[in-house]
Amino acid sequence: MLSGAIKNIDPGNVLIILLQKLKYMDKLELKGAWNELKGKVKQAYGDFTDDDLKHEEGKDDELYGRIQQKTGKTRDEVITWLKSL
């Protein structure tokens, strides 16, 4: 569902862009889309927890930092990787 949309996003803050694209969805659809992305991250890196992938509005940098710590990737690599899921 989301993987095609994510691959076509221009460089930038993928989480904010994703949330903007999904802002017209109802809360249940949005939660499902976010859970799908989290599931793909967990499949790639089994040591991620729900707390690691918790997203709070205005705290995107903290989420990127947690992903960077777990994966050993740079911020740009994390963004590119998330767009590829």
Side-chain angles (χ1 to χ4, degrees):
M1 177 171 109
L2 287 178
S3 58
I6 291 173
K7 287 179 184 177
N8 295 325
I9 294 175
D10 291 331
N13 189 328
V14 71
L15 293 175
I16 289 175
I17 293 169
L18 176 64
L19 291 173
Q20 287 173 344
K21 284 186 170 288
L22 300 175
K23 72 181 178 181
Y24 296 106
M25 297 175 109
D26 67 31
K27 288 183 180 184
L28 185 59
E29 290 172 317
L30 181 59
K31 185 174 181 171
W34 178 243
N35 286 336
E36 180 182 341
L37 183 60
K38 287 192 315 185
K40 289 180 179 184
V41 170
K42 287 180 182 180
Q43 285 176 354
Y45 290 89
D47 60 338
F48 272 101
T49 66
D50 285 332
D51 284 342
D52 292 328
L53 298 172
K54 183 177 180 183
H55 178 263
E56 296 178 41
E57 188 174 341
K59 295 189 176 184
D60 298 332
D61 287 335
E62 289 180 19
L63 176 59
Y64 283 128
R66 289 191 302 268
I67 294 173
Q68 284 179 261
Q69 280 184 319
K70 291 276 188 169
T71 63
K73 297 177 183 289
T74 66
R75 180 186 172 90
D76 290 338
E77 289 171 332
V78 167
I79 291 170
T80 299
W81 176 63
L82 288 173
K83 286 193 282 184
S84 75
L85 295 178

